[in-house]
Amino acid sequence: MNLPLAQRLQRIPPYPFREIAEIKAKMIAEGKEPIDFGIGDPDLPTPDYVIDALYKAAQDPATHPYDESGFGISEYKQAVADFMAKRFGVQLSTDGQIQGTIGCKESLAHIIWAYIDPSDVVLVPDPAYSVYKVQATWCGGATFPMPLRSENGFLPDLDAIPLPVRKAAKLMFLNYPNNPTGAVADLDFFRQVVDFARENEILVVHDCAYSEVCYDGYKTHSILEVEGAADVAIEMHSLSKTFNMTGWRVAWACGGAPFVEALSKAKSNVDSGTFMAIQHAAVAALEGYDQFIGPLQAEYQKRRDALVDGLNSLGWNLEAPKATFYVWALIPKNYATAADFARDLLAKCGMLVIPGAVYGEYGEGFVRFSLTIKGEDKVAQIEQAIEAIGSNMTLSW
Ligand SMILES: Cc1ncc(COP(=O)(O)O)c(C=O)c1O
């Protein structure tokens, strides 16, 4: 049977990382395992104390049915509220301002389904995590790109958004610390965003998935630190990157009660929440944050320094990112496109990076290196990759 896909799915390109995973699988099958700076998925295990908490919770049959609370079990919502208060100084009510989610990806998709009708306008950063644009398009929405340029610190220029677009826009996506650029946003920028959103009646969806992957003592911000932000914003957080728990699918959305309620209405008609034993494990994870996070940040910082210093020794002029496990690097002048450069890195140096155009038009000219590297001795692999680039590639600047 040759059943056509729904037209709305035909409009959507394949999930980019699925194709990259296929290239990698093919190389491994041919016995040529690449040094993998590709997908940003933590290579370290979930901490034992979280696994122990899951094991204990899973033995209690009370965790086995559907979570009928809808928003998440009370212990989880309380742990989230405590975390947001301690980490960001943001006070949230556990009654309506917090929604447990099955990863940020799920909540980012469902908030769009909650608000976007065909032809509604959605402001989307470019380059960006693909889900914002894809889901908005899937809903029939019209996306308007907000270019993230290096000269603007990879922040969108709000003044450059044309008046009719501002007036038509219903949602704005932001993501700081940023994938793929590694940029961070300060509170001044978030204040401007909140004013802009209030003036133009736009809901800001801030994807904060990388909030805890930060370096040199730098503390990232929640948009909810801005006074009155909950009137115009919802923020998506996740345990995925903070606690090496990407496969567990546990996260939360928080912010203005009407937006949390809307998300809840959308998602409760699609999924039935996160397994309650996993929510209990997430409580343990959050409670152990202070002990766990320092060594994790130090580990990525070691890799970041090896990669950035190594690339700079070859002629790049990179600033070390303050946050995320990504290094966003301009391609050398002798390459026309990032895909050409990435192809050569794979063929001549056996290393996998992501061409920036995967993240949007304004990502062209860059490649993204992820510091989440599988296999033994990560720093040695980074040094090996730098040596291979130095020996096998011609770079002009
Ligand atoms: C910017 C961004 N947001 C969200 C996610 C997904 O997070 P989660 O595992 O919580 O769904 C990712 C995953 O790579 C991401 O890069």
PDB file of all heavy atoms in Angstrom, residues 3-22:
ATOM      1  N   LEU A   3       0.443   4.581   0.932  1.00  0.00           N
ATOM      2  CA  LEU A   3      -0.419   5.555   1.593  1.00  0.00           C
ATOM      3  C   LEU A   3       0.298   6.906   1.696  1.00  0.00           C
ATOM      4  O   LEU A   3       1.381   6.984   2.266  1.00  0.00           O
ATOM      5  CB  LEU A   3      -0.735   5.034   2.996  1.00  0.00           C
ATOM      6  CG  LEU A   3      -1.963   5.573   3.705  1.00  0.00           C
ATOM      7  CD1 LEU A   3      -3.234   5.307   2.909  1.00  0.00           C
ATOM      8  CD2 LEU A   3      -2.052   4.955   5.093  1.00  0.00           C
ATOM      9  N   PRO A   4      -0.253   7.976   1.100  1.00  0.00           N
ATOM     10  CA  PRO A   4       0.465   9.253   1.175  1.00  0.00           C
ATOM     11  C   PRO A   4       0.476   9.796   2.611  1.00  0.00           C
ATOM     12  O   PRO A   4      -0.492   9.614   3.356  1.00  0.00           O
ATOM     13  CB  PRO A   4      -0.336  10.172   0.249  1.00  0.00           C
ATOM     14  CG  PRO A   4      -1.657   9.530   0.098  1.00  0.00           C
ATOM     15  CD  PRO A   4      -1.523   8.053   0.383  1.00  0.00           C
ATOM     16  N   LEU A   5       1.563  10.450   2.932  1.00  0.00           N
ATOM     17  CA  LEU A   5       1.649  11.106   4.238  1.00  0.00           C
ATOM     18  C   LEU A   5       0.683  12.291   4.252  1.00  0.00           C
ATOM     19  O   LEU A   5       0.378  12.867   3.197  1.00  0.00           O
ATOM     20  CB  LEU A   5       3.053  11.656   4.464  1.00  0.00           C
ATOM     21  CG  LEU A   5       4.180  10.651   4.662  1.00  0.00           C
ATOM     22  CD1 LEU A   5       5.519  11.387   4.745  1.00  0.00           C
ATOM     23  CD2 LEU A   5       3.954   9.841   5.935  1.00  0.00           C
ATOM     24  N   ALA A   6       0.263  12.680   5.423  1.00  0.00           N
ATOM     25  CA  ALA A   6      -0.536  13.904   5.547  1.00  0.00           C
ATOM     26  C   ALA A   6       0.275  15.056   4.946  1.00  0.00           C
ATOM     27  O   ALA A   6       1.501  15.092   5.086  1.00  0.00           O
ATOM     28  CB  ALA A   6      -0.819  14.188   7.014  1.00  0.00           C
ATOM     29  N   GLN A   7      -0.426  15.980   4.314  1.00  0.00           N
ATOM     30  CA  GLN A   7       0.291  17.099   3.669  1.00  0.00           C
ATOM     31  C   GLN A   7       1.128  17.875   4.681  1.00  0.00           C
ATOM     32  O   GLN A   7       2.211  18.352   4.382  1.00  0.00           O
ATOM     33  CB  GLN A   7      -0.693  18.021   2.972  1.00  0.00           C
ATOM     34  CG  GLN A   7      -1.182  17.385   1.688  1.00  0.00           C
ATOM     35  CD  GLN A   7      -2.141  18.293   0.945  1.00  0.00           C
ATOM     36  OE1 GLN A   7      -2.216  19.483   1.209  1.00  0.00           O
ATOM     37  NE2 GLN A   7      -2.883  17.708   0.035  1.00  0.00           N
ATOM     38  N   ARG A   8       0.602  17.963   5.910  1.00  0.00           N
ATOM     39  CA  ARG A   8       1.349  18.758   6.890  1.00  0.00           C
ATOM     40  C   ARG A   8       2.680  18.081   7.221  1.00  0.00           C
ATOM     41  O   ARG A   8       3.666  18.754   7.514  1.00  0.00           O
ATOM     42  CB  ARG A   8       0.500  19.012   8.144  1.00  0.00           C
ATOM     43  CG  ARG A   8       0.345  17.851   9.098  1.00  0.00           C
ATOM     44  CD  ARG A   8      -0.399  18.273  10.346  1.00  0.00           C
ATOM     45  NE  ARG A   8      -1.822  18.211  10.132  1.00  0.00           N
ATOM     46  CZ  ARG A   8      -2.535  17.081  10.210  1.00  0.00           C
ATOM     47  NH1 ARG A   8      -1.950  15.927  10.490  1.00  0.00           N
ATOM     48  NH2 ARG A   8      -3.812  17.087   9.995  1.00  0.00           N
ATOM     49  N   LEU A   9       2.744  16.746   7.153  1.00  0.00           N
ATOM     50  CA  LEU A   9       4.011  16.061   7.414  1.00  0.00           C
ATOM     51  C   LEU A   9       4.911  16.113   6.183  1.00  0.00           C
ATOM     52  O   LEU A   9       6.136  16.161   6.304  1.00  0.00           O
ATOM     53  CB  LEU A   9       3.768  14.612   7.864  1.00  0.00           C
ATOM     54  CG  LEU A   9       4.997  13.873   8.388  1.00  0.00           C
ATOM     55  CD1 LEU A   9       5.665  14.627   9.538  1.00  0.00           C
ATOM     56  CD2 LEU A   9       4.651  12.465   8.851  1.00  0.00           C
ATOM     57  N   GLN A  10       4.286  16.143   4.994  1.00  0.00           N
ATOM     58  CA  GLN A  10       5.092  16.260   3.768  1.00  0.00           C
ATOM     59  C   GLN A  10       5.874  17.575   3.735  1.00  0.00           C
ATOM     60  O   GLN A  10       6.916  17.669   3.129  1.00  0.00           O
ATOM     61  CB  GLN A  10       4.199  16.173   2.534  1.00  0.00           C
ATOM     62  CG  GLN A  10       3.644  14.770   2.298  1.00  0.00           C
ATOM     63  CD  GLN A  10       2.791  14.721   1.038  1.00  0.00           C
ATOM     64  OE1 GLN A  10       3.039  15.426   0.076  1.00  0.00           O
ATOM     65  NE2 GLN A  10       1.764  13.877   1.049  1.00  0.00           N
ATOM     66  N   ARG A  11       5.323  18.601   4.407  1.00  0.00           N
ATOM     67  CA  ARG A  11       6.003  19.907   4.403  1.00  0.00           C
ATOM     68  C   ARG A  11       7.256  19.909   5.288  1.00  0.00           C
ATOM     69  O   ARG A  11       8.033  20.838   5.279  1.00  0.00           O
ATOM     70  CB  ARG A  11       5.052  20.993   4.954  1.00  0.00           C
ATOM     71  CG  ARG A  11       3.936  21.392   4.022  1.00  0.00           C
ATOM     72  CD  ARG A  11       3.365  22.752   4.441  1.00  0.00           C
ATOM     73  NE  ARG A  11       2.734  22.714   5.758  1.00  0.00           N
ATOM     74  CZ  ARG A  11       1.446  22.468   5.970  1.00  0.00           C
ATOM     75  NH1 ARG A  11       0.633  22.247   4.947  1.00  0.00           N
ATOM     76  NH2 ARG A  11       0.954  22.441   7.178  1.00  0.00           N
ATOM     77  N   ILE A  12       7.436  18.866   6.081  1.00  0.00           N
ATOM     78  CA  ILE A  12       8.484  18.856   7.105  1.00  0.00           C
ATOM     79  C   ILE A  12       9.679  18.039   6.619  1.00  0.00           C
ATOM     80  O   ILE A  12       9.502  16.915   6.154  1.00  0.00           O
ATOM     81  CB  ILE A  12       7.921  18.178   8.392  1.00  0.00           C
ATOM     82  CG1 ILE A  12       6.638  18.848   8.850  1.00  0.00           C
ATOM     83  CG2 ILE A  12       8.966  18.117   9.494  1.00  0.00           C
ATOM     84  CD1 ILE A  12       6.774  20.281   9.201  1.00  0.00           C
ATOM     85  N   PRO A  13      10.906  18.582   6.730  1.00  0.00           N
ATOM     86  CA  PRO A  13      12.078  17.769   6.356  1.00  0.00           C
ATOM     87  C   PRO A  13      12.301  16.672   7.398  1.00  0.00           C
ATOM     88  O   PRO A  13      11.786  16.769   8.510  1.00  0.00           O
ATOM     89  CB  PRO A  13      13.232  18.788   6.388  1.00  0.00           C
ATOM     90  CG  PRO A  13      12.769  19.872   7.307  1.00  0.00           C
ATOM     91  CD  PRO A  13      11.274  19.917   7.239  1.00  0.00           C
ATOM     92  N   PRO A  14      13.080  15.640   7.058  1.00  0.00           N
ATOM     93  CA  PRO A  14      13.353  14.604   8.061  1.00  0.00           C
ATOM     94  C   PRO A  14      14.089  15.211   9.258  1.00  0.00           C
ATOM     95  O   PRO A  14      14.780  16.227   9.105  1.00  0.00           O
ATOM     96  CB  PRO A  14      14.273  13.609   7.339  1.00  0.00           C
ATOM     97  CG  PRO A  14      14.433  14.093   5.957  1.00  0.00           C
ATOM     98  CD  PRO A  14      13.777  15.422   5.802  1.00  0.00           C
ATOM     99  N   TYR A  15      13.942  14.635  10.442  1.00  0.00           N
ATOM    100  CA  TYR A  15      14.641  15.132  11.635  1.00  0.00           C
ATOM    101  C   TYR A  15      16.135  15.050  11.354  1.00  0.00           C
ATOM    102  O   TYR A  15      16.658  13.982  11.035  1.00  0.00           O
ATOM    103  CB  TYR A  15      14.259  14.286  12.857  1.00  0.00           C
ATOM    104  CG  TYR A  15      14.720  14.885  14.167  1.00  0.00           C
ATOM    105  CD1 TYR A  15      14.317  16.161  14.531  1.00  0.00           C
ATOM    106  CD2 TYR A  15      15.561  14.193  15.017  1.00  0.00           C
ATOM    107  CE1 TYR A  15      14.745  16.730  15.724  1.00  0.00           C
ATOM    108  CE2 TYR A  15      15.990  14.754  16.220  1.00  0.00           C
ATOM    109  CZ  TYR A  15      15.575  16.023  16.559  1.00  0.00           C
ATOM    110  OH  TYR A  15      15.997  16.588  17.741  1.00  0.00           O
ATOM    111  N   PRO A  16      16.861  16.188  11.393  1.00  0.00           N
ATOM    112  CA  PRO A  16      18.232  16.204  10.854  1.00  0.00           C
ATOM    113  C   PRO A  16      19.152  15.180  11.496  1.00  0.00           C
ATOM    114  O   PRO A  16      19.975  14.576  10.822  1.00  0.00           O
ATOM    115  CB  PRO A  16      18.715  17.636  11.132  1.00  0.00           C
ATOM    116  CG  PRO A  16      17.719  18.261  12.017  1.00  0.00           C
ATOM    117  CD  PRO A  16      16.442  17.495  11.894  1.00  0.00           C
ATOM    118  N   PHE A  17      19.006  14.973  12.806  1.00  0.00           N
ATOM    119  CA  PHE A  17      19.960  14.091  13.467  1.00  0.00           C
ATOM    120  C   PHE A  17      19.733  12.625  13.124  1.00  0.00           C
ATOM    121  O   PHE A  17      20.599  11.798  13.317  1.00  0.00           O
ATOM    122  CB  PHE A  17      19.938  14.318  14.974  1.00  0.00           C
ATOM    123  CG  PHE A  17      20.501  15.666  15.311  1.00  0.00           C
ATOM    124  CD1 PHE A  17      19.724  16.631  15.907  1.00  0.00           C
ATOM    125  CD2 PHE A  17      21.798  15.981  14.956  1.00  0.00           C
ATOM    126  CE1 PHE A  17      20.242  17.884  16.179  1.00  0.00           C
ATOM    127  CE2 PHE A  17      22.327  17.231  15.223  1.00  0.00           C
ATOM    128  CZ  PHE A  17      21.548  18.174  15.837  1.00  0.00           C
ATOM    129  N   ARG A  18      18.572  12.333  12.602  1.00  0.00           N
ATOM    130  CA  ARG A  18      18.340  10.955  12.186  1.00  0.00           C
ATOM    131  C   ARG A  18      19.270  10.635  11.009  1.00  0.00           C
ATOM    132  O   ARG A  18      19.883   9.579  10.952  1.00  0.00           O
ATOM    133  CB  ARG A  18      16.869  10.772  11.799  1.00  0.00           C
ATOM    134  CG  ARG A  18      16.510   9.333  11.646  1.00  0.00           C
ATOM    135  CD  ARG A  18      15.036   9.147  11.453  1.00  0.00           C
ATOM    136  NE  ARG A  18      14.337   9.070  12.727  1.00  0.00           N
ATOM    137  CZ  ARG A  18      13.076   8.714  12.844  1.00  0.00           C
ATOM    138  NH1 ARG A  18      12.352   8.438  11.784  1.00  0.00           N
ATOM    139  NH2 ARG A  18      12.501   8.639  14.010  1.00  0.00           N
ATOM    140  N   GLU A  19      19.412  11.602  10.095  1.00  0.00           N
ATOM    141  CA  GLU A  19      20.291  11.375   8.939  1.00  0.00           C
ATOM    142  C   GLU A  19      21.748  11.272   9.376  1.00  0.00           C
ATOM    143  O   GLU A  19      22.499  10.423   8.897  1.00  0.00           O
ATOM    144  CB  GLU A  19      20.144  12.531   7.939  1.00  0.00           C
ATOM    145  CG  GLU A  19      18.808  12.516   7.240  1.00  0.00           C
ATOM    146  CD  GLU A  19      18.736  13.577   6.153  1.00  0.00           C
ATOM    147  OE1 GLU A  19      19.221  14.684   6.369  1.00  0.00           O
ATOM    148  OE2 GLU A  19      18.188  13.254   5.078  1.00  0.00           O
ATOM    149  N   ILE A  20      22.127  12.113  10.317  1.00  0.00           N
ATOM    150  CA  ILE A  20      23.517  12.096  10.786  1.00  0.00           C
ATOM    151  C   ILE A  20      23.799  10.768  11.503  1.00  0.00           C
ATOM    152  O   ILE A  20      24.855  10.162  11.323  1.00  0.00           O
ATOM    153  CB  ILE A  20      23.783  13.324  11.674  1.00  0.00           C
ATOM    154  CG1 ILE A  20      23.829  14.564  10.762  1.00  0.00           C
ATOM    155  CG2 ILE A  20      25.082  13.204  12.458  1.00  0.00           C
ATOM    156  CD1 ILE A  20      23.493  15.860  11.406  1.00  0.00           C
ATOM    157  N   ALA A  21      22.833  10.312  12.289  1.00  0.00           N
ATOM    158  CA  ALA A  21      23.002   9.023  12.978  1.00  0.00           C
ATOM    159  C   ALA A  21      23.174   7.897  11.960  1.00  0.00           C
ATOM    160  O   ALA A  21      23.950   6.956  12.181  1.00  0.00           O
ATOM    161  CB  ALA A  21      21.800   8.765  13.884  1.00  0.00           C
ATOM    162  N   GLU A  22      22.482   8.021  10.828  1.00  0.00           N
ATOM    163  CA  GLU A  22      22.606   6.982   9.789  1.00  0.00           C
ATOM    164  C   GLU A  22      24.003   6.985   9.158  1.00  0.00           C
ATOM    165  O   GLU A  22      24.598   5.932   8.932  1.00  0.00           O
ATOM    166  CB  GLU A  22      21.528   7.185   8.713  1.00  0.00           C
ATOM    167  CG  GLU A  22      20.186   6.614   9.152  1.00  0.00           C
ATOM    168  CD  GLU A  22      19.013   7.080   8.278  1.00  0.00           C
ATOM    169  OE1 GLU A  22      19.253   7.633   7.169  1.00  0.00           O
ATOM    170  OE2 GLU A  22      17.877   6.912   8.733  1.00  0.00           O
TER     171      GLU A  22
END
